[in-house]
């Protein structure tokens, strides 16, 4: 197994890219912004940040990364989506804007803005399966929740009776933003997924 740090991209079309780059570096990955289709080739995993999922969707199509990204996720590249990024990984959006597309990868239905508007943003302690120790401090900003998941998807966390973290195979999604708190344990969980996948691929 390679001991080199995995290279993890952050989809840099819109949203809080820099915070993810910092969190990934703190979790011992080599982190780089990814914008163009050809930049997908050199990465072992990808984070899709929070922001505005309709904008990220539109720009992904415009920049020509939507299709190649779908292909890589379909092939098993590890991917982690926070908030708008979670929406991008959902196979289905309950309330999409017209023309809004997703990458997909997790058999779940998400509801956009489910936790309320910008001024109803909040922080809450969330127990995340696979993250040891104290609960994660989750920052929820116009956050989606997951209405339902399919049989292949594993619920990792709930808040207020709603699903807020899900994993299916190599795809991970959280409604909240762990990159804003300085607690890098969720990113470390993802970096572990990427390491595990790379080790499996090199067998
Ligand atoms: N903080 C966020 O990423 C907000 C997500 C936003 N409500 C959306 O639909 O994309």
């Amino acid at each position: 197994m390679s001991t080199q740090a995995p290279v993890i991209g952050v989809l840099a079309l819109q949203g809080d890219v820099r915070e993810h780059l910092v969190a990934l570096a703190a979790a011992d990955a080599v982190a780089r912004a990814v914008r163009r289709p050809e930049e997908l080739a050199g990465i072992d995993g990808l984070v899709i940040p929070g922001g505005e999922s309709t904008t990220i969707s539109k720009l992904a199509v415009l920049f020509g990364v939507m299709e190649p990204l779908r292909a890589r996720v379909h092939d098993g590249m590890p991917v982690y989506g926070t908030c708008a990024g979670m929406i991008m990984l959902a196979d289905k959006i309950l309330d999409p804007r017209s023309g809004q597309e997703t990458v997909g990868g997790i058999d779940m239905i998400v509801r956009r803005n489910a936790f309320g508007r910008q001024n109803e943003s909040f922080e809450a302690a969330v127990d995340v399966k696979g993250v040891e120790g104290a609960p994660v401090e989750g920052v929820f900003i116009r956050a989606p929740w997951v209405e339902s998941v399919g049989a292949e998807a594993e619920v990792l966390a709930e808040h207020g009776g709603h699903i807020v973290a899900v994993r299916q195979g190599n795809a991970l999604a959280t409604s909240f933003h762990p990159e804003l708190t300085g607690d890098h344990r969720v990113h470390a969980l993802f970096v572990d997924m990427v390491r595990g996948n790379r080790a499996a691929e090199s067998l």
Side-chain angles (χ1 to χ4, degrees):
M1 177 178 159
S2 165
T3 51
Q4 268 186 357
V7 179
I8 301 185
V10 179
L11 189 63
L13 300 173
Q14 189 257 340
D16 67 333
V17 174
R18 200 180 55 86
E19 289 81 355
H20 279 290
L21 292 172
V22 170
L24 287 167
D28 294 328
V30 173
R32 60 165 78 134
V34 165
R35 208 167 275 118
R36 293 195 302 268
E38 56 272 25
E39 291 168 334
L40 286 171
I43 56 172
D44 301 308
L46 181 75
V47 169
I48 305 180
E52 179 52 52
S53 57
T54 53
T55 306
I56 296 174
S57 162
K58 228 183 280 166
L59 292 175
V61 172
L62 205 67
F63 279 65
V65 289
M66 185 66 101
E67 272 312 322
L69 183 51
R70 281 190 185 124
R72 288 235 35 207
V73 170
H74 184 78
D75 285 347
M77 176 182 71
V79 63
Y80 171 33
T82 58
C83 203
M86 166 186 256
I87 296 168
M88 290 295 290
L89 294 181
D91 283 350
K92 188 161 190 258
I93 306 174
L94 193 75
D95 49 354
R97 283 244 204 116
S98 95
Q100 181 171 6
E101 296 182 30
T102 72
V103 174
I106 301 184
D107 182 6
M108 62 180 175
I109 301 174
V110 294
R111 182 188 289 272
R112 298 177 54 229
N113 305 322
F115 282 108
R117 294 133 78 95
Q118 190 85 18
N119 59 8
E120 293 163 307
S121 300
F122 61 96
E123 284 189 41
V126 183
D127 242 319
V128 182
K129 218 171 170 181
V131 175
E132 304 278 320
V136 169
E137 199 57 28
V139 181
F140 293 78
I141 305 167
R142 286 189 301 120
W145 70 47
V146 179
E147 289 279 333
S148 62
V149 294
E152 302 292 306
E154 184 189 9
V155 173
L156 300 185
E158 293 188 23
H159 176 72
H162 300 288
I163 300 167
V164 295
V166 176
R167 178 175 177 179
Q168 180 174 326
N170 279 328
L172 175 70
T174 60
S175 299
F176 52 89
H177 295 263
E179 75 282 7
L180 299 179
T181 61
D183 176 351
H184 306 306
R185 288 175 297 158
V186 179
H187 288 80
L189 172 71
F190 180 60
V191 173
D192 275 350
M193 285 169 58
V194 177
R195 281 185 195 281
N197 184 64
R198 221 176 42 163
E201 279 184 341
S202 67
L203 283 181

